[in-house]
Short mmCIF file of all heavy atoms in Angstrom, two decimals:
data_model
loop_
_atom_site.label_atom_id
_atom_site.label_comp_id
_atom_site.label_asym_id
_atom_site.label_seq_id
_atom_site.Cartn_x
_atom_site.Cartn_y
_atom_site.Cartn_z
N VAL A 201 -3.26 -8.65 5.21
CA VAL A 201 -3.75 -7.51 6.00
C VAL A 201 -4.70 -6.64 5.19
O VAL A 201 -5.61 -6.02 5.76
CB VAL A 201 -2.60 -6.66 6.57
CG1 VAL A 201 -1.83 -7.43 7.63
CG2 VAL A 201 -1.66 -6.14 5.49
N ILE A 202 -4.52 -6.60 3.88
CA ILE A 202 -5.48 -5.87 3.05
C ILE A 202 -6.86 -6.50 3.18
O ILE A 202 -7.87 -5.82 3.35
CB ILE A 202 -5.03 -5.86 1.58
CG1 ILE A 202 -3.84 -4.90 1.41
CG2 ILE A 202 -6.17 -5.45 0.65
CD1 ILE A 202 -3.22 -4.92 0.03
N LYS A 203 -6.91 -7.83 3.12
CA LYS A 203 -8.19 -8.53 3.29
C LYS A 203 -8.78 -8.26 4.67
O LYS A 203 -9.97 -7.95 4.82
CB LYS A 203 -8.01 -10.03 3.09
CG LYS A 203 -9.30 -10.83 3.25
CD LYS A 203 -9.09 -12.32 3.07
CE LYS A 203 -8.34 -12.94 4.24
NZ LYS A 203 -8.33 -14.42 4.17
N LEU A 204 -7.95 -8.37 5.70
CA LEU A 204 -8.42 -8.16 7.06
C LEU A 204 -8.88 -6.71 7.29
O LEU A 204 -9.73 -6.46 8.13
CB LEU A 204 -7.31 -8.51 8.06
CG LEU A 204 -6.91 -9.99 8.10
CD1 LEU A 204 -5.70 -10.18 9.00
CD2 LEU A 204 -8.07 -10.86 8.57
N GLY A 205 -8.32 -5.79 6.53
CA GLY A 205 -8.69 -4.39 6.67
C GLY A 205 -9.86 -3.96 5.80
O GLY A 205 -10.19 -2.78 5.76
N GLY A 206 -10.50 -4.91 5.11
CA GLY A 206 -11.69 -4.57 4.34
C GLY A 206 -11.53 -4.65 2.84
O GLY A 206 -12.48 -4.42 2.10
N GLY A 207 -10.33 -4.98 2.35
CA GLY A 207 -10.11 -5.10 0.92
C GLY A 207 -10.45 -6.49 0.41
O GLY A 207 -10.86 -7.37 1.16
N LEU A 208 -10.27 -6.68 -0.90
CA LEU A 208 -10.58 -7.96 -1.51
C LEU A 208 -9.52 -9.01 -1.20
O LEU A 208 -8.34 -8.69 -1.05
CB LEU A 208 -10.71 -7.81 -3.02
CG LEU A 208 -11.84 -6.91 -3.54
CD1 LEU A 208 -11.89 -6.98 -5.06
CD2 LEU A 208 -13.17 -7.30 -2.93
N ASP A 209 -9.93 -10.27 -1.19
CA ASP A 209 -9.02 -11.39 -0.99
C ASP A 209 -8.49 -11.81 -2.36
O ASP A 209 -8.89 -12.82 -2.91
CB ASP A 209 -9.76 -12.54 -0.31
CG ASP A 209 -8.84 -13.69 0.06
OD1 ASP A 209 -7.61 -13.55 -0.01
OD2 ASP A 209 -9.38 -14.76 0.40
N PHE A 210 -7.59 -11.01 -2.91
CA PHE A 210 -7.11 -11.29 -4.26
C PHE A 210 -6.07 -12.41 -4.25
O PHE A 210 -5.43 -12.67 -3.23
CB PHE A 210 -6.55 -10.01 -4.90
CG PHE A 210 -5.41 -9.38 -4.15
CD1 PHE A 210 -4.10 -9.82 -4.32
CD2 PHE A 210 -5.64 -8.32 -3.27
CE1 PHE A 210 -3.04 -9.23 -3.64
CE2 PHE A 210 -4.59 -7.72 -2.59
CZ PHE A 210 -3.29 -8.18 -2.78
N PRO A 211 -5.88 -13.07 -5.39
CA PRO A 211 -4.90 -14.15 -5.48
C PRO A 211 -3.49 -13.59 -5.58
O PRO A 211 -3.14 -12.91 -6.54
CB PRO A 211 -5.29 -14.89 -6.77
CG PRO A 211 -5.93 -13.83 -7.60
CD PRO A 211 -6.64 -12.90 -6.65
N VAL A 212 -2.67 -13.85 -4.59
CA VAL A 212 -1.33 -13.28 -4.57
C VAL A 212 -0.39 -14.08 -5.46
O VAL A 212 -0.42 -15.31 -5.48
CB VAL A 212 -0.78 -13.23 -3.12
CG1 VAL A 212 -0.58 -14.62 -2.55
CG2 VAL A 212 0.51 -12.43 -3.06
N GLU A 213 0.41 -13.39 -6.25
CA GLU A 213 1.39 -14.02 -7.11
C GLU A 213 2.69 -14.24 -6.34
O GLU A 213 3.12 -13.37 -5.57
CB GLU A 213 1.65 -13.16 -8.35
CG GLU A 213 0.42 -12.99 -9.21
CD GLU A 213 0.69 -12.17 -10.46
OE1 GLU A 213 1.54 -11.25 -10.40
OE2 GLU A 213 0.05 -12.45 -11.48
N THR A 214 3.33 -15.38 -6.57
CA THR A 214 4.57 -15.70 -5.87
C THR A 214 5.62 -16.22 -6.84
O THR A 214 5.35 -16.42 -8.01
CB THR A 214 4.30 -16.72 -4.75
OG1 THR A 214 3.42 -17.76 -5.25
CG2 THR A 214 3.64 -16.08 -3.54
N GLY A 215 6.83 -16.42 -6.30
CA GLY A 215 7.94 -16.84 -7.13
C GLY A 215 9.10 -15.84 -7.11
O GLY A 215 10.06 -15.97 -7.86
N ARG A 216 8.99 -14.82 -6.23
CA ARG A 216 10.07 -13.83 -6.11
C ARG A 216 11.28 -14.44 -5.42
O ARG A 216 11.16 -15.35 -4.62
CB ARG A 216 9.60 -12.64 -5.26
CG ARG A 216 8.42 -11.88 -5.82
CD ARG A 216 7.82 -10.93 -4.78
NE ARG A 216 6.55 -10.40 -5.25
CZ ARG A 216 5.41 -11.07 -5.21
NH1 ARG A 216 5.37 -12.30 -4.70
NH2 ARG A 216 4.29 -10.52 -5.67
N ARG A 217 12.45 -13.86 -5.72
CA ARG A 217 13.66 -14.19 -4.98
C ARG A 217 14.19 -12.92 -4.33
O ARG A 217 13.77 -11.81 -4.67
CB ARG A 217 14.68 -14.84 -5.91
CG ARG A 217 14.25 -16.26 -6.32
CD ARG A 217 15.13 -16.86 -7.39
NE ARG A 217 16.51 -17.06 -6.97
CZ ARG A 217 16.95 -18.14 -6.32
NH1 ARG A 217 16.10 -19.11 -5.98
NH2 ARG A 217 18.22 -18.26 -6.01
N ASP A 218 15.08 -13.08 -3.36
CA ASP A 218 15.55 -11.96 -2.57
C ASP A 218 16.78 -11.32 -3.18
O ASP A 218 17.65 -12.00 -3.74
CB ASP A 218 15.87 -12.43 -1.15
CG ASP A 218 14.66 -13.04 -0.46
OD1 ASP A 218 13.55 -12.51 -0.66
OD2 ASP A 218 14.81 -14.04 0.28
N GLY A 219 16.87 -10.00 -3.05
CA GLY A 219 17.95 -9.24 -3.64
C GLY A 219 19.28 -9.39 -2.91
O GLY A 219 19.34 -9.86 -1.77
#
Side-chain angles (χ1 to χ4, degrees):
V201 292
I202 287 174
K203 179 181 72 171
L204 294 173
L208 296 185
D209 186 11
F210 59 84
V212 65
E213 297 182 327
T214 43
R216 299 166 191 80
R217 289 172 64 85
D218 301 322

